């Protein structure tokens, strides 16, 4: 008697989505209802795993994609270092210890986080311009809006989890303005580099992340 294996179990893409959902779902439940002190330290592992899944679904991985990745990481790290050390760009804030080793007060992994957020937002924005009639400006504006909305969803939860802290406990509006401008610039550069931005895992990654932070935002830990 033969048993047919479901199609999704044969597809690496579907396994990637399953793994991303499993990791974020278990993390959200664990943080919200069990032990944040146990689950939150796994954040860097989760970030590396999601980056790996993004890269594995990138076709093709060429020089332009590597340039885009490095550019986003450098821009993210540079702006964050300016922000942390001067109070400009985002406001007065400081990073906790969740993301590990720091460079001038900014965890090295934050550059990777910037890439993941803006790149996935750029991929989603590109899907609204499939016929390529609206150009790079439209895509960059939409990508910046998506990335900024994501930051708005994430910020209160990030403070609760100790990712970073605002000195007065208030997230300034200027933070979101800076997020929009910087994300716009990075997305425009993606456009000028002419990267394919057809990563089919990227939209699911972004959606899963948004749902993860939304859930925590309205969970007991987010309301505490």
């Amino acid at each position: 008697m033969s048993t047919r294996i479901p199609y999704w179990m044969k597809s690496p893409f579907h396994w990637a989505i399953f793994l991303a959902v499993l990791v974020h779902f278990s993390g959200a439940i664990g943080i919200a209802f069990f032990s944040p002190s146990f689950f939150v330290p796994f954040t860097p592992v989760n970030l590396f795993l999601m980056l790996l899944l993004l890269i594995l679904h990138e076709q093709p991985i060429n020089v332009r994609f590597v340039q885009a990745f490095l550019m986003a990481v450098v821009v993210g790290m540079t702006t964050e270092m300016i922000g942390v050390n001067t109070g400009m760009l985002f406001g007065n804030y400081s990073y906790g210890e969740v993301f590990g080793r720091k460079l001038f007060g900014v965890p090295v992994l934050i550059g990777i986080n910037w890439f993941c957020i803006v790149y996935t937002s750029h991929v989603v924005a590109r899907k609204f311009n499939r016929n390529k009639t609206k150009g790079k400006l439209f895509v960059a504006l939409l990508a910046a809006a998506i990335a900024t909305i994501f930051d708005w969803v994430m910020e209160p939860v990030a403070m609760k989890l100790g990712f970073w802290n605002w000195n007065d406990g208030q997230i300034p509006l200027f933070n979101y303005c800076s997020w929009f401008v910087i994300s716009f610039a990075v997305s425009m550069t993606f456009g000028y580099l002419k990267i394919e931005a057809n990563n089919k895992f990227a939209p699911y990654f972004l959606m899963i992340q948004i749902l993860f932070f939304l859930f925590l935002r309205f969970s007991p830990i987010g309301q505490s």
Side-chain angles (χ1 to χ4, degrees):
M1 181 177 179
S2 62
T3 302
R4 294 190 63 181
I5 300 176
Y7 168 74
W8 74 269
M9 294 185 68
K10 300 178 182 179
S11 168
F13 170 61
H14 289 105
W15 274 108
I17 296 175
F18 172 76
L19 180 59
V21 170
L22 177 63
V23 168
H24 285 84
F25 177 78
S26 59
I29 296 300
I31 291 170
F33 301 110
F34 294 96
S35 176
S37 62
F38 175 81
F39 286 92
V40 172
F42 285 100
T43 300
V45 177
N46 178 44
L47 181 57
F48 271 120
L49 176 60
M50 294 305 106
L51 175 65
L52 177 61
L53 292 177
L54 273 176
I55 292 175
L56 289 176
H57 288 88
E58 183 63 30
Q59 298 293 333
I61 299 177
N62 52 26
V63 173
R64 288 179 296 181
F65 177 76
V66 174
Q67 289 174 333
F69 172 77
L70 293 176
M71 178 275 300
V73 170
V74 170
V75 169
M77 284 296 297
T78 302
T79 55
E80 292 281 357
M81 285 189 286
I82 293 171
V84 165
N85 291 286
T86 68
M88 298 171 60
L89 297 183
F90 304 105
N92 296 310
Y93 68 107
S94 59
Y95 278 96
E97 303 302 321
V98 174
F99 287 98
R101 189 176 297 276
K102 300 175 185 178
L103 181 64
F104 296 108
V106 178
V108 177
L109 291 182
I110 290 301
I112 293 176
N113 192 55
W114 266 93
F115 168 78
C116 290
I117 295 172
V118 182
Y119 180 65
T120 54
S121 299
H122 181 80
V123 172
V124 171
R126 279 280 296 270
K127 290 185 177 297
F128 286 89
N129 190 35
R130 288 180 178 176
N131 55 9
K132 299 181 180 179
T133 60
K134 298 177 182 179
K136 297 181 182 69
L137 180 61
F138 170 82
V139 172
L141 287 171
L142 182 56
I146 294 170
T148 305
I149 291 171
F150 175 83
D151 184 59
W152 176 81
V153 172
M154 175 180 63
E155 285 286 355
V157 178
M159 287 195 296
K160 295 287 186 180
L161 301 184
F163 291 0
W164 51 78
N165 289 288
W166 297 93
N167 291 2
D168 56 2
Q170 299 296 319
I171 305 167
L173 177 62
F174 189 60
N175 167 69
Y176 301 115
C177 296
S178 294
W179 255 89
F180 184 89
V181 172
I182 296 166
S183 300
F184 171 79
V186 173
S187 182
M188 280 292 287
T189 306
F190 287 160
Y192 281 112
L193 287 173
K194 297 181 179 179
I195 57 175
E196 294 296 327
N198 57 3
N199 192 309
K200 62 181 182 180
F201 178 72
Y204 293 92
F205 168 79
L206 183 64
M207 179 175 63
I208 291 167
Q209 285 264 294
I210 290 174
L211 291 175
F212 172 81
F213 284 109
L214 270 177
F215 174 81
L216 289 178
R217 186 164 179 169
F218 294 102
S219 72
I221 193 170
Q223 299 297 310
S224 61

